[in-house]
Amino acid sequence: MVGIPNEMLATLSSSAEAADLWVRQNVSRYVIKGGVDIRYVAVGNEPFLTSYSGQYLPYIMPAILNLQQSLVKANLASYVKLVVPCNADAYEASLPSQGVFRSELTQIMTQLVSFLNSNGSPFVVNIYPFLSLYNDPDFPQDYAFFQGTSHAVTDGPNVYYNAFDGNYDTLVSALSKIGYGNIPIVVGEIGWPTDGAIGANLTAARAFTQGLVNHVLRSEGTPLRPKVPPMDVYLFSLLDEGAKSILPGTFERHWGIFSFDGQAKYALNLGLGRGLLKNARDVQYLPSRWCVANPARDLSDVSNHMKLACSVADCTTLNYGGSCNGIGAKGNISYAFNSYYQLQKQNALSCEFDGLGMVTFLDPSVGDCRFLVGLTGTSSIASASQPAAYFWISALLSTLIVLL
């Protein structure tokens, strides 16, 4: 799946030539013998979000129609399908059977789904039970998982035991109400973060993800689509992203099932017949040394240094609910200093902080709070840059998507 940023929709909607150029540069040049297996083009990413206040709505259908013609010209329209990934806030209801698209989206959703149906494209939706739990203090915690709940939702003859099924069937109901109740559905994103907020931890992430995988592989479907599981399910995400925007929440950098260095965060069986996730091998780390707060110095004037460090490096584990939240003020300073130091490839000057930092060879990690050591090479600790890690993980991702 190749994605088009929302910011490009206006240009693609107004210019057939721009659409032709985009398809040539991003699709047709790669779909060759021995090349890339591109199945979908995502036209925008969650462009219907309430927070966008409708700014992308005028561009979606014109952009899709231009791009479709471009695929036809390139003789790719029968194989590469256009989709529009939607967030679950595009539809609403108090019960799954009452699901409808938001009133201001009814017209464009009808046009979009009609196009998808006519061209053999699925409806792509991103579902996040974690966000339901994170945003609503009254949301029943066990309903977010797949291990059974004391807060089952009864909807006529149907009973819902987890938030995923309830959310999915709300979409099915909304699609049915505009005449397309049987269109295939792909879950484009679903996952659980492991750090940075209350409820974002390894135990919860493993319980959710393993429960989801088991649920999908049983092919039970949902009450409104029994025995018909989603066409595909994409786990979000493969790796942590240490430079990702944290505007939605400080958990945003911690969705990966692998940490930045290709190491599995928790035991997870994807049902591939190969057992649990395996760590990337032969990852090359920088030397085992860390930058910490100098205990011999007065740290009362350290705030600007911490702001500098955390404006560049990732300090989100220090937030309330994070794995490093309880290590104390001096520990917080050390964590921020070290994160910056590793990002700068352990450059000696990057641990100066006007004399407030010092290099140590003793691992300052405490309990679940891990002080990182960066990777060698040219990229930062925010990405697994080593070939062994990269190619192994890419292969696993391909297998995972095909399986689910």
Side-chain angles (χ1 to χ4, degrees), residues 1-21:
M1 183 182 289
V2 182
I4 296 175
N6 291 333
E7 293 72 24
M8 292 184 65
L9 294 177
T11 300
L12 293 171
S13 71
S14 62
S15 170
E17 291 77 15
D20 290 345
L21 178 62

Side-chain angles (χ1 to χ4, degrees), residues 40-364:
Y40 301 106
V41 171
V43 184
N45 181 44
E46 300 183 343
F48 303 112
L49 275 177
T50 309
S51 57
Y52 291 144
S53 303
Q55 69 183 90
Y56 299 116
L57 297 190
Y59 310 126
I60 294 169
M61 289 311 301
I64 282 177
L65 295 175
N66 281 341
L67 288 162
Q68 181 68 12
Q69 288 307 307
S70 299
L71 290 173
V72 169
K73 294 174 191 175
N75 294 317
L76 292 173
S78 63
Y79 187 73
V80 179
K81 302 300 181 181
L82 300 178
V83 296
V84 180
C86 295
N87 187 278
D89 85 338
Y91 47 91
E92 55 196 6
S94 55
L95 290 172
S97 64
Q98 299 171 6
V100 292
F101 290 109
R102 298 199 323 262
S103 57
E104 71 272 24
L105 298 180
T106 302
Q107 182 178 358
I108 189 172
M109 278 297 182
T110 304
Q111 295 171 345
L112 170 61
V113 180
S114 174
F115 171 87
L116 299 176
N117 186 67
S118 298
N119 290 278
S121 297
F123 189 97
V124 177
V125 63
N126 302 335
I127 297 176
Y128 284 105
F130 169 78
L131 295 180
S132 298
L133 187 63
Y134 177 78
N135 292 321
D136 182 359
D138 296 323
F139 191 88
Q141 181 167 331
D142 57 1
Y143 188 61
F145 297 87
F146 296 89
Q147 284 73 38
T149 177
S150 57
H151 299 84
V153 173
T154 300
D155 183 8
N158 298 320
V159 181
Y160 291 88
Y161 297 97
N162 64 78
F164 172 77
D165 284 356
N167 194 307
Y168 190 90
D169 273 3
T170 303
L171 170 60
V172 172
S173 293
L175 290 167
S176 297
K177 289 181 176 64
I178 61 172
Y180 297 95
N182 294 318
I183 191 170
I185 295 174
V186 166
V187 178
E189 295 179 14
I190 186 168
W192 199 281
T194 57
D195 214 328
I198 291 290
N201 56 68
L202 294 172
T203 301
R206 181 189 180 279
F208 177 83
T209 310
Q210 189 66 71
L212 171 72
V213 171
N214 296 345
H215 182 64
V216 172
L217 293 182
R218 283 196 295 267
S219 298
E220 294 173 348
T222 61
L224 293 186
R225 285 193 174 180
K227 306 300 180 183
V228 182
M231 182 176 167
D232 284 305
V233 176
Y234 291 78
L235 291 180
F236 189 86
S237 63
L238 194 68
L239 295 164
D240 280 354
E241 300 175 82
K244 189 177 181 183
S245 169
I246 57 172
L247 285 177
T250 50
F251 51 82
E252 280 291 344
R253 296 175 177 174
H254 304 280
W255 291 98
I257 60 174
F258 292 91
S259 53
F260 75 96
D261 51 358
Q263 307 305 294
K265 290 186 185 178
Y266 46 83
L268 178 64
N269 190 326
L270 297 173
L272 299 173
R274 301 174 189 171
L276 303 177
L277 296 182
K278 293 181 173 59
N279 295 330
R281 297 185 296 270
D282 303 322
V283 180
Q284 302 300 308
Y285 294 92
L286 295 169
S288 295
R289 57 186 179 222
W290 299 262
C291 178
V292 296
N294 188 336
R297 296 294 301 269
D298 177 7
L299 300 173
S300 59
D301 198 27
V302 76
S303 60
N304 286 335
H305 294 294
M306 281 197 68
K307 287 179 182 177
L308 167 67
C310 293
S311 69
V312 177
D314 177 35
C315 299
T316 53
T317 59
L318 298 176
N319 286 280
Y320 182 63
S323 61
C324 297
N325 179 247
I327 61 175
K330 189 173 290 186
N332 290 348
I333 297 167
S334 294
Y335 188 91
F337 282 7
N338 182 66
S339 297
Y340 181 82
Y341 174 67
Q342 301 298 337
L343 202 63
Q344 302 302 320
K345 300 298 178 189
Q346 298 185 356
N347 183 307
L349 294 177
S350 67
C351 190
E352 280 292 318
F353 297 105
D354 290 338
L356 300 182
M358 60 172 280
V359 174
T360 179
F361 296 92
L362 297 175
D363 187 351

